[in-house]
Amino acid sequence: MNRPNIMPGRPGSARMEYFACREDVEALLAKGYSARLAYEAMQEQGRVTCSYSAFCDYVRGGGKRLHSSGKKKAQTAFHWSK
């Protein structure tokens, strides 16, 4: 399969890369490979140039990037009681 013409660093390029190799990634995961090993395999083949973090977001989200919105959760204060 030919790799689509994707310009790394452009908005949406990580998603396009993931969709181009999605079936292969899902097959590797079904065989018991970790997301890290699947990412490294796709990177060695030159099929992804995105970050591991972006790749994992798409793997977890089934093609949608599931990541934090950047807003920090309100931390609750911890009080020691005597």
Side-chain angles (χ1 to χ4, degrees), residues 2-24:
N2 292 334
R3 184 171 183 242
N5 187 13
I6 300 170
M7 295 186 65
R10 303 253 347 227
S13 63
R15 187 173 92 139
M16 290 173 59
E17 289 177 346
Y18 176 73
F19 276 112
C21 63
R22 182 179 184 173
E23 290 178 7
D24 295 333

Side-chain angles (χ1 to χ4, degrees), residues 17-67:
E17 289 177 346
Y18 176 73
F19 276 112
C21 63
R22 182 179 184 173
E23 290 178 7
D24 295 333
V25 169
E26 289 176 353
L28 290 172
L29 295 173
K31 289 180 182 177
Y33 285 74
S34 66
R36 169 65 77 180
L37 290 175
Y39 172 75
E40 289 174 358
M42 296 298 112
Q43 204 175 31
E44 285 174 10
Q45 295 173 16
R47 296 181 69 188
V48 294
T49 59
C50 64
S51 68
Y52 174 66
S53 174
F55 181 82
C56 284
D57 287 343
Y58 287 115
V59 169
R60 280 194 308 261
K64 293 183 180 179
R65 188 155 189 200
L66 296 181
H67 61 282

